[in-house]
Amino acid sequence: SAAAVQSYLHREGLPLREVLLDSGSLLGQAIGSRGLPITLFYDAQGRQVDAHFGILNAAALESRLSQLRPPP
């Protein structure tokens, strides 16, 4: 439930703003994912630009995000 997710995020100190629930378990099929966890990366226009299947630690996430950010 949304309440359980928000409780978990708060308890773990994760200040995430863009958390979406897939209560019907339809996202995996729609994006062609074989399992979880999966991290999807979208650009400012809402296009999926990358995906990572499996666990993604903080350093790997920051590296991937820095690669996707436009140059200053």
Side-chain angles (χ1 to χ4, degrees), residues 48-61:
Q48 183 181 333
V49 295
D50 202 0
H52 177 84
F53 179 70
I55 295 173
L56 191 60
N57 65 29
L61 176 60

Side-chain angles (χ1 to χ4, degrees), residues 14-39:
L14 300 170
L16 302 175
R17 295 175 298 150
E18 304 298 328
V19 176
L20 305 174
L21 298 179
D22 180 21
S23 59
S25 299
L26 301 174
L27 179 63
Q29 182 180 20
I31 63 168
S33 174
R34 299 176 313 273
L36 296 173
I38 188 163
T39 303

